[in-house]
Amino acid sequence: MGLSKNDEIEILIEDMGTDGEGIGHFNGFTFFVKDAVIGDTILAKIMKLKKTYGYARLIKVLSPSDNRGEPKCKFYRQCGGCQLQALQYDEQLRFKANKIRNNLKRIGGFDDIPLLPIVGMEEPYFYRNKAQFPIGTDKTGKPIAGFYALHSHNIIANTDCALGVSENKAVLEVILAFMEKHHIHAYNETNKKGLIRHVLIRKGFITGEIMVCIVINGNELPNADILVRDLCMISGMTSICLNVNKENTNVILGNKLISLYGPLYIKDFIGEVSFQISPLSFFQVNPVQTKKLYDKVLEFADFNGSEIVWDLYCGIGTISLYIAKYVKKVFGVEIVSQAIDDAKRNALNNNIENVEFYVGKAEEVVPELYKKQGITADTVIVDPPRKGCDGVLLDTIIAMAPRRLVYVSCDSATLARDLKYLCANGFVLEKVQGVDQFGQTVHVECVVLMSKVQK
Ligand code: SAH
């Protein structure tokens, strides 16, 4: 029987791909089905057919897998944010550990992988300290806040993302009611009219401080004092501001901030280190797991207090500042100059003096400091973006031959590629540890310890 588009087929989901899609077979074809879980038998409709594989849409779960859980969010299939809500959390962790293992095996060529049990979250929902909601208008002309449907800019109204804090809903309801009452329009991406584009909300998990930043297509918000009064009824409200973004762009924030209430930042802690976080600053979105991640870095690095350490791709210096008191000196390198401004200010606020920060590409700054100034390192920490480390940087690290290298990664595929290169050039893979920072999604962080082969 030949298969064609729109056919409905019954398949058993036997595996899950790296993006969380269910994988099953039918008539010699491999099918990929979003939102289907390993162990499910499903009815699926064929959406696209290639020579040996196809994509199908989940129509109905005929016999649910034992691994299925109850998704907390009713929009999880429409929203691009979560991929694994239908999977029980323990199974999500197993999926993530497998993903790391498979990448190290297939891409890295490692057989004997020193993979430690993954560090999970105690509460795999409500963990994000930051949320950015687009604001739009529904068919009746009422303002709505929500999220973009997968692969589109259609806003689905939902003020209650299950990954975020409960205050998000309260803040959005105040803002939407204010907009309605004072006839303030949401920005319309098509005709570029309307005022309010996005609402950014942040909460300090340790301090309880809340920040609200309203992104506007203009220079002022009429009746802002009334909005401020209403928002201040929400417990923890610390900083309210406007962000001006009049550009025709998908970038959410502009550069200009206008304070409406309180300072232009909130404070929070990771461990004992305090951070000032502005709406424009990068800050780890899951501070609870970030602390666990950094504690793993400390454990793997096993400092004795005498080390010179390089923290490459250091962002706002969170790792540098976290480890500073355990070592002699830290050099942080980061490409974004505002992040380095934050890093320096946070060092000052915490009275941390043994850190030095450099702006630039790690692959340019590190060779420069090493070759021209002879600065070496006992321990190197890298925490690159998804694309992994630059080749020039890896070559410089190999030449510098630090005793230890701690690699923090948010993409185990590029991690595997880089580890393979390092192991071919004098390093040994000692430990690999997954840390889940993003429950319900397919993302997983990894900390790896490598040591230099002693000649
Ligand atoms: N270590 C930090 C941030 C890691 S995210 C923390 O734990 O919070 C990765 C960082 O690498 C980002 O801040 C990004 O701006 C920076 N980056 C990207 N390419 C870079 C490059 N070529 N050189 C230096 N930093 C870079």
Side-chain angles (χ1 to χ4, degrees):
M1 171 188 99
L3 287 177
S4 30
K5 195 178 160 184
N6 292 330
D7 281 355
E8 292 199 354
I9 54 176
E10 189 180 315
I11 27 181
L12 169 69
I13 300 300
E14 298 156 38
D15 200 357
M16 287 175 81
T18 49
D19 293 326
E21 70 282 20
I23 302 176
H25 296 92
F26 191 89
N27 263 16
F29 283 83
T30 302
F31 280 99
F32 301 96
V33 192
K34 188 172 123 28
D35 303 321
V37 160
I38 188 164
D40 279 345
T41 300
I42 59 163
L43 185 68
K45 184 174 185 167
I46 299 176
M47 307 309 285
K48 207 184 226 179
L49 211 51
K50 301 274 188 186
K51 268 207 178 110
T52 56
Y53 66 94
Y55 297 90
R57 184 175 154 71
L58 172 65
I59 301 292
K60 193 173 171 198
V61 179
L62 300 172
S63 157
S65 157
D66 291 343
N67 299 331
R68 267 198 173 261
E70 195 50 54
K72 273 209 198 303
C73 172
K74 61 177 186 276
F75 300 108
Y76 87 98
R77 288 190 64 185
Q78 288 151 277
C79 173
C82 294
Q83 302 82 33
L84 298 179
Q85 271 201 35
L87 203 55
Q88 286 168 15
Y89 186 61
D90 282 353
E91 293 301 320
Q92 293 183 20
L93 291 179
R94 199 196 308 270
F95 167 87
K96 292 182 188 197
N98 277 337
K99 183 167 168 172
I100 296 169
R101 192 182 294 108
N102 287 342
N103 279 333
L104 290 184
K105 218 178 201 157
R106 288 190 203 144
I107 302 170
F110 294 98
D111 277 331
D112 203 9
I113 301 162
L115 183 62
L116 298 163
I118 188 166
V119 177
M121 299 167 56
E122 266 140 55
E123 171 51 271
Y125 283 101
F126 316 115
Y127 58 81
R128 286 186 62 99
N129 60 9
K130 172 184 165 182
Q132 300 180 115
F133 293 88
I135 306 295
T137 310
D138 74 5
K139 289 196 185 83
T140 69
K142 264 174 74 137
I144 52 168
F147 58 88
Y148 293 129
L150 195 61
H151 308 309
S152 93
H153 268 206
N154 295 333
I155 298 173
I156 294 176
N158 177 23
T159 52
D160 208 9
C161 167
L163 301 192
V165 297
S166 59
E167 287 89 346
N168 288 341
K169 187 169 194 273
V171 168
L172 292 171
E173 279 173 0
V174 167
I175 293 174
L176 294 175
F178 167 81
M179 287 174 71
E180 225 182 323
K181 182 151 185 225
H182 297 276
H183 308 290
I184 293 168
H185 296 293
Y187 178 68
N188 177 324
E189 282 185 331
T190 315
N191 66 17
K192 323 277 179 264
K193 296 217 168 80
L195 189 61
I196 301 194
R197 299 175 70 128
H198 270 87
V199 174
L200 163 71
I201 306 167
R202 259 181 166 149
K203 179 176 180 181
F205 273 30
I206 306 286
T207 58
E209 295 183 357
I210 292 176
M211 158 181 284
V212 176
C213 175
I214 301 158
V215 185
I216 56 169
N217 171 41
N219 295 318
E220 57 179 12
L221 178 67
N223 298 305
D225 51 331
I226 297 174
L227 179 63
V228 167
R229 184 200 65 197
D230 292 350
L231 284 173
C232 283
M233 307 291 274
I234 296 168
S235 154
M237 194 56 61
T238 303
S239 163
I240 305 172
C241 68
L242 300 174
N243 175 272
V244 177
N245 183 358
K246 294 192 262 187
E247 303 295 317
N248 175 15
T249 168
N250 283 339
V251 178
I252 295 176
L253 294 170
N255 292 325
K256 188 174 170 194
L257 294 174
I258 301 168
S259 171
L260 296 179
Y261 171 78
L264 277 172
Y265 59 84
I266 55 168
K267 284 205 249 30
D268 203 18
F269 288 85
I270 297 180
E272 290 169 6
V273 185
S274 75
F275 293 90
Q276 266 189 25
I277 311 155
S278 113
L280 302 175
S281 308
F282 169 84
F283 190 64
Q284 293 279 350
V285 296
N286 183 342
V288 176
Q289 292 303 100
T290 297
K291 179 173 184 311
K292 293 186 195 167
L293 184 75
Y294 294 173
D295 283 337
K296 279 290 161 196
V297 171
L298 273 180
E299 183 192 318
F300 284 9
D302 193 22
F303 297 124
N304 63 23
S306 69
E307 290 90 351
I308 308 281
V309 182
W310 288 31
D311 174 19
L312 308 178
Y313 308 89
C314 71
I316 61 163
T318 23
I319 296 179
S320 307
L321 300 175
Y322 197 78
I323 64 170
K325 70 173 178 187
Y326 303 99
V327 303
K328 187 166 168 206
K329 175 100 196 185
V330 189
F331 295 97
V333 182
E334 159 64 42
I335 196 167
V336 175
S337 67
Q338 295 94 321
I340 289 295
D341 294 342
D342 280 349
K344 287 180 177 164
R345 193 183 48 244
N346 287 323
L348 213 61
N349 289 347
N350 287 282
N351 299 315
I352 296 173
E353 288 170 353
N354 59 337
V355 293
E356 215 170 290
F357 291 105
Y358 294 87
V359 181
K361 291 184 180 166
E363 61 273 22
E364 290 173 8
V365 173
V366 177
E368 169 86 16
L369 290 176
Y370 171 61
K371 288 193 185 129
K372 302 224 171 108
Q373 298 184 35
I375 298 177
T376 59
D378 300 296
T379 304
V380 171
I381 299 168
V382 296
D383 183 4
R386 301 194 69 100
K387 69 175 186 204
C389 291
D390 185 275
V392 175
L393 176 67
L394 291 179
D395 286 335
T396 313
I397 293 173
I398 289 162
M400 258 167 39
R403 218 157 44 84
R404 290 205 164 106
L405 172 60
V406 180
Y407 194 135
V408 181
S409 161
C410 56
D411 185 333
S412 52
T414 56
L415 170 73
R417 178 201 66 199
D418 290 350
L419 295 186
K420 184 178 184 183
Y421 188 70
L422 289 162
C423 283
N425 288 282
F427 282 89
V428 178
L429 184 58
E430 300 276 1
K431 290 178 193 173
V432 181
Q433 171 92 67
V435 178
D436 188 22
Q437 298 248 60
F438 305 106
Q440 320 308 328
T441 80
V442 291
H443 303 293
V444 59
E445 292 272 326
C446 235
V447 193
V448 169
L449 173 65
M450 305 194 88
S451 64
K452 186 81 183 77
V453 182
Q454 298 301 320
K455 292 221 177 93

PDB file of all heavy atoms in Angstrom, residues 45 78 273 286 324:
ATOM      1  N   LYS A  45      -1.523  11.944  11.469  1.00  0.00           N
ATOM      2  CA  LYS A  45      -1.861  12.308  10.087  1.00  0.00           C
ATOM      3  C   LYS A  45      -0.573  12.721   9.383  1.00  0.00           C
ATOM      4  O   LYS A  45       0.180  13.563   9.897  1.00  0.00           O
ATOM      5  CB  LYS A  45      -2.834  13.482  10.136  1.00  0.00           C
ATOM      6  CG  LYS A  45      -3.348  13.907   8.785  1.00  0.00           C
ATOM      7  CD  LYS A  45      -4.408  14.976   9.007  1.00  0.00           C
ATOM      8  CE  LYS A  45      -5.066  15.372   7.721  1.00  0.00           C
ATOM      9  NZ  LYS A  45      -6.259  16.162   7.961  1.00  0.00           N
ATOM     10  N   GLN A  78       0.730  24.293  21.239  1.00  0.00           N
ATOM     11  CA  GLN A  78       0.744  25.436  20.311  1.00  0.00           C
ATOM     12  C   GLN A  78       1.975  26.311  20.489  1.00  0.00           C
ATOM     13  O   GLN A  78       2.385  27.015  19.584  1.00  0.00           O
ATOM     14  CB  GLN A  78      -0.483  26.326  20.559  1.00  0.00           C
ATOM     15  CG  GLN A  78      -1.777  25.731  20.090  1.00  0.00           C
ATOM     16  CD  GLN A  78      -2.919  26.247  20.941  1.00  0.00           C
ATOM     17  OE1 GLN A  78      -3.184  25.740  22.034  1.00  0.00           O
ATOM     18  NE2 GLN A  78      -3.587  27.272  20.459  1.00  0.00           N
ATOM     19  N   VAL A 273      27.057  35.774  46.245  1.00  0.00           N
ATOM     20  CA  VAL A 273      27.412  36.902  45.378  1.00  0.00           C
ATOM     21  C   VAL A 273      26.143  37.624  44.930  1.00  0.00           C
ATOM     22  O   VAL A 273      25.210  36.994  44.427  1.00  0.00           O
ATOM     23  CB  VAL A 273      28.196  36.422  44.129  1.00  0.00           C
ATOM     24  CG1 VAL A 273      28.652  37.620  43.307  1.00  0.00           C
ATOM     25  CG2 VAL A 273      29.371  35.551  44.525  1.00  0.00           C
ATOM     26  N   ASN A 286      17.461  30.536  35.454  1.00  0.00           N
ATOM     27  CA  ASN A 286      17.085  29.581  36.498  1.00  0.00           C
ATOM     28  C   ASN A 286      18.156  29.615  37.603  1.00  0.00           C
ATOM     29  O   ASN A 286      19.094  28.814  37.605  1.00  0.00           O
ATOM     30  CB  ASN A 286      16.962  28.179  35.896  1.00  0.00           C
ATOM     31  CG  ASN A 286      16.512  27.156  36.923  1.00  0.00           C
ATOM     32  OD1 ASN A 286      16.596  27.383  38.127  1.00  0.00           O
ATOM     33  ND2 ASN A 286      16.037  26.027  36.457  1.00  0.00           N
ATOM     34  N   ALA A 324      35.784  33.368  42.706  1.00  0.00           N
ATOM     35  CA  ALA A 324      36.930  34.237  43.030  1.00  0.00           C
ATOM     36  C   ALA A 324      37.542  33.948  44.404  1.00  0.00           C
ATOM     37  O   ALA A 324      38.761  33.947  44.561  1.00  0.00           O
ATOM     38  CB  ALA A 324      36.509  35.703  42.934  1.00  0.00           C
TER      39      ALA A 324
END
